[in-house]
Structures are given as C-alpha cells and as structure tokens.
Amino acid sequence: MMQTPSLATFGVRMPYSLANQLVVAISSRALFDFESENTLFESGDATAYKALQLKLLDKPAAPGVAYALVQKLLALNEGDTHRVEVVILSRNDPVSGLRAFRSAEYHGLTLERGVFTQGRPPFKYLNALHANLFLSMNEADVRDALAAGFPAARVYPQSVHAAGRHPDEIRIAFDGDAVLFSDEAERIYQQGGLSAFYRHERDHVTRPLPPGPFKPLLEALHRLQRAEAPVRLRTALVTARSAPAHERAIRTLMDWQIEVDEAMFLGGLEKGPFLREFEPDFFFDDQTGHCVSGALAVPTGQVMAGVANEPRQDIAQNQGDTIAGEIQMPANRT
C-alpha cells in the first residue's frame, strides 16, 4: 500500500504541533465581556458591529466568565514546556478578532491562535485543533460540537466570576450523569421513576457506566495532574446521586483509573451552596436547574447533552425533574 508522503519528505519544515497538549477552544464572548457589543451583533447589523469593535480597538474588554479558568490553565505552561493551548474560536469577523487579541495582550494572556468565521458555525475546526474542550455562549455551536464528539458547554453569561482565592490551584467541578457518564441512568429515571432508577443501579453496580461527553476532558486533566506543574489541578464530582446509587459512580471512576479529589453525593440538595464552598474556576452540568443554581455561585457551563436536553414533549412537562429528586426549576432552552 502506497503511503502518503509527509512534508518532511520534501524537505519542508514540520509545522507546529498541538499533540500532547490540553487544547481549549473558546469563543471571544466566553473569554471576555462582550455582552453590550453582542446586543448589536444579535441585531443582525454586522457592519455596525464591526465598526463598533474597531472603534473600541484600543479599549481592552473586561474579563468574561471563563477568563479565570483560561488564565490559570495557561499558567501550567513554563519556559519551553507547553502543556496547554488556548485558541479563540469565534463567530466574530477577523476585524473584531483584533480586539480579542488586543484584550488578551492587555491582560497578559499568551494567546497566539484564533479562528474567526464571520457568522458561520465554527465547531468544524475543533477536529483540526484536536480540541479537548469548547466553551461558547452559542447553544447551537455547543450542540454541534457535542454531536461531533467534543466536550463542549454553553457558558452562562450571568455567571458569578471566579473568586480568585486559590491562585495556585485550578478547580473544576463536574456533574456525573450526562456529563462524565452517559445519560443511561437518567433515561431509566425519566421512564420509570426513582424506584426504577435505584433498582437499575443496584442490579448494575459492578458494571461501569458508559462514558459521557466529558470523560475525555477528565482524562486529559488527570494526565496534567500527574505532571509536575506550577499550578495544581483539583477536580470534584458534584452529583444528585445518593446512596446506594453512589457506588456505581465511584466504581466507574475506579474502572477508568481516574481519581477525583472530592465527591459530593447530594441526593436532591441544591448544588449552588456546595459549589460556593468548593469555589471551582468552572462547573459543568447538563441540567438547567443546577446550572442556574451554580451560576449564582461560580462560573458555569451547561452541557447540552443527554435526555434532559432533548426537545421532547414528554420531557417538557417535567423539565425540572432529575435523578434522585434534583431541584425543580423551569428550564431555559434559549
């Protein structure tokens, strides 16, 4: 079988590689506070939006919801050792992208790469970037990224920003079902109620849960945890599961040979107060109610995956219900 020649075959200098790095793709609006400018963008007047961004070119944008996470992740790089690459992946036009890079430079963020699609869906570039995570405020882009197999979350613009009390530690919190794990158990709960859910979990306690959309990110973070880096990584599982359903979640992580630093099995308690104590730089959950609660305490992103995010009529009647009696709040599908 004939092999495809590489660039090296022709004596061409090999391109820069993102291999073995944690690659985070992020929209400019998730990284910086472009909310007032976005109002003009959403109006459909692309020319006026571009003109406004050009006018504000020398005015650095304020940090956005995901800024603290990006700042700390970049601190994992030291000298010639690059462990993390952050790439701006945005629906903005290239001219507006100038302001994003200017703002990054002002705030001391080392960002070198960006893709600006001028209104077109940007998720298709995630494959070329080998992205481990995509953060955006555009729900459609997040859904597309998840469908393509990439960990992705819709950043809540109203989220409280990270407190910044742990400068030498990156803290990330994950929900379990439909985030780290598949939504298998959630579907059982939706179909048969709490008793069916507990019965299913007892019967399958020794069988690992299938992986969810964020398992690859947890694996990448676990690899970084084992590296000697200037900033420590700390992870937490924050789930509505309670005993006896907790055992299958723990056994699944053991099967994956991944450890989390903290695990909270809340059994229906509101997650926000617990997140306020853990103080993560970012929290990921699939349930709208928990994202609303989390956003009041910490930077939050909704993983638009699993049965709870399917636009089905039978679920719409019970949108706030979740495993083991999670809090009931009206869902926000926008």
Side-chain angles (χ1 to χ4, degrees), residues 240-290:
R241 284 174 175 257
S242 59
H246 72 297
E247 185 173 343
R248 193 178 181 201
I250 294 174
R251 285 180 176 272
T252 298
L253 292 173
M254 291 171 62
D255 182 78
W256 293 351
Q257 298 184 346
I258 294 177
E259 295 181 359
V260 293
D261 296 286
E262 298 190 23
M264 306 175 200
F265 299 98
L266 302 182
L269 295 176
E270 185 179 350
K271 293 184 179 180
F274 292 88
L275 292 166
R276 188 174 289 110
E277 296 300 323
F278 181 63
E279 296 183 318
D281 296 293
F282 222 87
F283 166 57
F284 298 102
D285 200 297
D286 69 305
Q287 297 282 345
T288 300
H290 284 309

Side-chain angles (χ1 to χ4, degrees), residues 222-237:
H222 187 63
R223 289 192 294 270
L224 280 175
Q225 282 181 311
R226 291 179 294 181
E228 294 186 9
V231 181
R232 184 176 183 275
L233 271 162
R234 188 172 185 84
T235 56
L237 170 65

Side-chain angles (χ1 to χ4, degrees), residues 21-23 83 132 214-226 233 258:
Q21 295 189 53
L22 176 74
V23 180
R83 301 182 177 93
N132 299 104
F214 270 62
K215 183 197 175 186
L217 176 61
L218 185 63
E219 289 176 321
L221 293 175
H222 187 63
R223 289 192 294 270
L224 280 175
Q225 282 181 311
R226 291 179 294 181
L233 271 162
I258 294 177

Side-chain angles (χ1 to χ4, degrees), residues 20 38 40-41 43 51 73 92 99 106 112 115 121 183 187 197 215 220 235 245 262 273 278 280 289 304:
N20 301 318
N38 185 67
L40 185 58
F41 181 82
S43 73
L73 286 173
N92 269 334
R99 188 173 179 221
Y106 173 84
E112 299 178 358
V115 177
D183 68 341
R187 288 182 181 274
F197 162 71
K215 183 197 175 186
T235 56
E262 298 190 23
F278 181 63
M304 310 298 301

Side-chain angles (χ1 to χ4, degrees), residues 35-57:
E35 290 311 292
S36 59
E37 294 89 336
N38 185 67
T39 302
L40 185 58
F41 181 82
E42 295 293 342
S43 73
D45 193 340
T47 301
Y49 174 78
K50 184 187 300 185
L52 176 62
Q53 289 285 43
L54 191 59
K55 179 182 178 181
L56 298 173
L57 185 59

